[in-house]
Amino acid sequence: MSTHREAKFPAKDYVDPTPLPSSVPHVDELGVTSAPLKTASFFIGEHCKKYNEDFMLCKAEDRDPAHCLAEGRKVTRCAQDLITKVRATCLEEFNAHWECLERNNQEFYLCRKPERKFNSCVFEKLNLSKNIPGSPADKPQIHEKTWPIYGAIQK
Amino acid sequence: MVNYKQDLPPKGGFEAIKFKRNLPTKGPGGAVIFGAVTAICAFGFWRVGLGNLEKRELQREKAWSRIHLVPLLLAESDRDIYRREQAALAREKEIMKDVPGWEVGQKAYHSKRYQPASIVVI
């Protein structure tokens, strides 16, 4: 995201098989597609807050990709750790929610039922809760609303 | 003497002419209908207002779910860009090794700010 261009060209793919230099420690990439990432996003944000903020502060210092490799590895390891934990404890609920997102245009508001189950499972087992920053304090957050106006027409 | 009978109104006079419409009044009156329409509209607009507030919260939720994912996506793409840059530098070094005074990866600008590559060799 340092560049807003995809590594793709119309005529030919921009493929470079050269591996990372061995001076850079190896880290497994997440390899998670968009829907599971969206499912886990708030818990990644909560679980990895320190690493994420550290990394973003580092990026604010310098946009050079070489500058924040160490912090970036920590971010990826932390997210990897969270996904592994979630899959180990709440695999069924996790899968139910991201498959629902996959079927519903990746909209949270169409998947509240599986989301509630998933959130409560994560809260019980991993003690992480979904908090949306900036929500009005006197009302329940949008994912906890009992009678939402926008929802799936077929429940 | 001619026998005749004067044509006169019947006793008690003629019946009143029925010129008024004689239809039963059906349904609620105008004021009631107007009031009902107003009430329904008011309820609808109230729901629209609530829905707008809810939509704002839904947008906030979506935005934050993306914000939480920015660092890890950025970290991943940074590693990829770094790898490609290093590979490009190595290629440049190999190609330009016979040219004396060639500085590998020299910037086109007098600035320390990072400049993403604008040209890639495929």
Side-chain angles (χ1 to χ4, degrees):
Chain A
M1 267 192 266
S2 299
T3 65
H4 288 275
R5 268 166 291 154
E6 270 188 278
K8 215 185 252 181
F9 289 84
K12 206 174 163 192
D13 284 344
Y14 174 32
V15 177
D16 195 338
T18 323
L20 260 179
S22 53
S23 57
V24 179
H26 174 76
V27 59
D28 283 329
E29 296 299 352
L30 266 180
V32 180
T33 51
S34 55
L37 275 184
K38 191 158 190 179
T39 298
S41 58
F42 281 93
F43 303 115
I44 290 175
E46 173 126 344
H47 184 65
C48 305
K49 195 168 189 233
K50 282 183 195 162
Y51 300 112
N52 285 353
E53 282 178 355
D54 198 29
F55 177 70
M56 293 317 282
L57 285 173
C58 172
K59 287 302 284 185
E61 254 172 35
D62 191 345
R63 297 296 291 178
D64 188 355
H67 185 62
C68 302
L69 285 175
E71 286 82 355
R73 279 194 296 278
K74 280 180 196 162
V75 165
T76 304
R77 286 206 189 95
C78 177
Q80 189 81 266
D81 172 56
L82 179 92
I83 299 261
T84 320
K85 271 186 191 164
V86 165
R87 281 175 56 83
T89 49
C90 302
L91 181 62
E92 217 169 277
E93 289 86 350
F94 180 66
N95 285 348
H97 186 221
W98 73 255
E99 277 161 14
C100 177
L101 286 182
E102 209 63 299
R103 285 194 304 273
N104 287 292
N105 207 17
Q106 302 207 355
E107 294 285 3
F108 278 120
Y109 74 97
L110 297 174
C111 292
R112 293 296 183 206
K113 266 189 187 174
E115 190 190 330
R116 291 225 170 88
K117 281 185 194 163
F118 176 61
N119 285 357
S120 64
C121 175
V122 173
F123 182 69
E124 279 165 25
K125 306 262 172 70
L126 302 175
N127 201 21
L128 293 171
S129 56
K130 172 172 173 177
N131 283 310
I132 306 168
S135 298
D138 51 337
K139 282 183 235 160
Q141 296 190 66
I142 186 67
H143 59 282
E144 292 157 345
K145 203 170 173 183
T146 32
W147 293 104
I149 287 173
Y150 289 97
I153 292 167
Q154 286 185 325
K155 297 269 163 85
Chain B
M1 180 78 178
V2 184
N3 249 345
Y4 67 92
K5 194 180 171 201
Q6 174 81 42
D7 201 8
L8 286 171
K11 274 186 184 163
F14 286 109
E15 270 183 61
I17 297 166
K18 290 176 184 160
F19 64 92
K20 272 194 179 164
R21 293 212 310 172
N22 187 22
L23 292 172
T25 48
K26 275 205 272 185
V32 176
I33 292 175
F34 189 76
V37 168
T38 311
I40 290 169
C41 286
F43 176 69
F45 276 109
W46 176 67
R47 291 272 293 178
V48 168
L50 287 185
N52 288 344
L53 293 180
E54 190 175 313
K55 210 182 252 177
R56 187 200 291 168
E57 292 308 309
L58 288 172
Q59 278 168 354
R60 192 197 304 286
E61 184 184 30
K62 191 187 270 181
W64 273 100
S65 88
R66 290 173 183 178
I67 289 169
H68 286 319
L69 293 179
V70 164
L72 68 95
L73 296 176
L74 191 55
E76 184 170 334
S77 87
D78 268 3
R79 276 192 293 276
D80 189 49
I81 292 168
Y82 179 72
R83 179 180 68 81
R84 287 169 194 266
E85 279 177 359
Q86 293 304 305
L89 287 180
R91 272 197 299 274
E92 186 183 337
K93 199 175 177 186
E94 177 61 27
I95 292 166
M96 303 306 285
K97 65 180 180 224
D98 299 330
V99 180
W102 181 267
E103 200 179 316
V104 175
Q106 194 187 25
K107 277 189 186 178
Y109 307 99
H110 289 292
S111 157
K112 286 191 173 176
R113 193 159 61 103
Y114 171 70
Q115 207 75 35
S118 51
I119 299 171
V120 292
V121 182
I122 302 179

